Amino acid sequence: MHVSFIFTLTALVGIGSAKSGCGKAIPDEFPSPGSSKTLSLPNSDRSYRIHIPSTYQHDTKAPVYFSFCGAGKDGHEQEGLSQFSNPAFNPDGIAVYPETDNGVWLSNQYAHTSHPNDLDFTDELLTHLEESLCVDQSRIYANGKSNGGELTAVIACNATVGSRFAAFSVVSGAWHETGDVPGVGACEPAKRDEGYPFLIFHGTVDQTAPIEGDVEDEIVPIIDVLHNWAERNGCDKDQKWARNVTIHEDPLVKRAGWDCDGKTNIVEFYREGDNGHCWPCTHSNDDYATMGRDKCPMGHYVFNATEIIFEFYSRYQLNSQFQLEM
């Protein structure tokens, strides 16, 4: 039996205006505006890297952008790879790079699936940031690369944690078939008017997480992932995209978009011809430099994924209310 309740966003997550960081000086342990620093989460054995923009004002609410690293990587590497701290892409948002516990995120077969719980870590970290800094709770976003991208989907599927994020993006996601949500069971996001905007990038020659999937390694084809998120946003099961356009000829880059429940391009996909398991960037980055031409054959790419991600995020923010189905 399902009973629907209406909650305000702040009531659900337990953050009231009295606990807001707005109007307060930046805590001493945090980096100064325009810089980054790796910190420990209080009352926890977990850590994270954070960048506060040079434009930050203690009385002006700032958006927050989480970016989760791939397996075996860390927050410092993810900061350089994603460029979420670069004011050319993100002039006024707080960028956060959570650290893994043992090199992998929940959903990876080598992750600690019981303790610590990456969902709890994300939830507690976000609460800590909201209490410490002037955060716009309607503009909080999640992104991930590879295993971090898979965690981004796990977060979106969680009715409590996922409800705090306005939109999601994944680069070269490693999507495994271990239940509706890898490692955590069924995908049951909270019902809300905004839906769950999802942006996915994937290369056609990705050897780590093949775009067509891999039965032996239980990797899900990207088209199935896209259909699942379109359906969760109100599309019919396996509904075809509303548009699929060529945005670059050589290499061939296609952009597909799904319109679901009156929401245009609520799910978007960039199919990167001739790109591997690499963060698309018009100049060489850590992926292209460390994985080599066998996995990143072009050495760079024809667009910057980060620029597209921030444009996508700019379309979405949370309303003050949504439904939680129980």
Side-chain angles (χ1 to χ4, degrees), residues 127-180:
T127 295
H128 174 60
L129 296 175
E130 290 174 337
E131 292 176 346
S132 304
L133 300 169
C134 194
V135 168
D136 186 343
Q137 292 178 309
S138 71
R139 293 189 297 157
I140 299 169
Y141 307 90
N143 160 267
K145 163 77 193 298
S146 192
N147 179 215
E150 197 169 31
L151 177 68
T152 299
V154 171
I155 290 169
C157 285
N158 183 272
T160 300
V161 186
S163 296
R164 304 179 71 175
F165 291 84
F168 307 83
S169 64
V170 172
V171 177
S172 304
W175 311 88
H176 290 89
E177 186 67 83
T178 53
D180 289 348

Side-chain angles (χ1 to χ4, degrees), residues 236-254:
D236 294 334
K237 183 176 176 59
D238 296 332
Q239 180 174 317
K240 196 172 183 179
W241 50 71
R243 61 199 58 81
N244 188 16
V245 299
T246 297
I247 63 171
H248 197 276
E249 292 285 352
D250 186 20
L252 181 62
V253 179
K254 305 282 285 187

Side-chain angles (χ1 to χ4, degrees), residues 61-85:
K61 293 182 177 180
V64 176
Y65 303 96
F66 278 65
S67 189
F68 296 91
C69 63
K73 303 292 185 177
D74 61 27
H76 190 274
E77 290 173 298
Q78 185 63 14
E79 182 177 33
L81 181 66
S82 70
Q83 291 293 295
F84 272 30
S85 300

